[in-house]
Amino acid sequence: MKTRTVAANDVRIPDPVSGEVVVVERYGRPYAAIIDTDALDMFLRMQAVFGEHVPHEMGVSDLELTVHRLAESGEDTEEFDYAAFLAR
């Protein structure tokens, strides 16, 4: 990922807070994200270590996230058809 620097005088951004990501939306969809310098440093270090090779744990699909959320919610939902899921 390339990094581009923009002078603070050229944009209006909220003050970043440590441990917080500010998502800028355009037409109701994520457009950009503002992170504090500590998070940027961590991101750049991870990028240097992993390069283009994303660890499996960081590349989780939407379906896997949904299944995880359902499992962690502790609530009964409609029956999940595991056979159909595994047949894919």
Side-chain angles (χ1 to χ4, degrees), residues 12-28:
R12 292 183 64 193
I13 60 172
D15 291 330
V17 176
S18 182
E20 178 182 74
V21 175
V22 177
V23 177
V24 180
E25 292 185 346
R26 179 184 241 176
Y27 304 113

Side-chain angles (χ1 to χ4, degrees), residues 8-86:
N9 292 340
D10 295 339
V11 294
R12 292 183 64 193
I13 60 172
D15 291 330
V17 176
S18 182
E20 178 182 74
V21 175
V22 177
V23 177
V24 180
E25 292 185 346
R26 179 184 241 176
Y27 304 113
R29 301 186 80 162
Y31 180 72
I34 301 167
I35 60 175
D36 68 282
T37 54
D38 292 336
L40 175 62
D41 182 52
M42 181 182 68
F43 173 78
L44 293 175
R45 283 186 284 131
M46 288 179 63
Q47 187 179 22
V49 169
F50 296 115
E52 294 183 19
H53 304 285
V54 178
H56 174 72
E57 293 81 3
M58 295 177 69
V60 180
S61 72
D62 289 338
L63 177 61
E64 290 168 323
L65 285 173
T66 300
V67 170
H68 176 72
R69 272 191 228 107
L70 289 172
E72 293 294 312
S73 70
E75 299 175 14
D76 289 335
T77 58
E78 64 184 64
E79 287 294 319
F80 188 79
D81 188 356
Y82 291 99
F85 175 74
L86 295 175

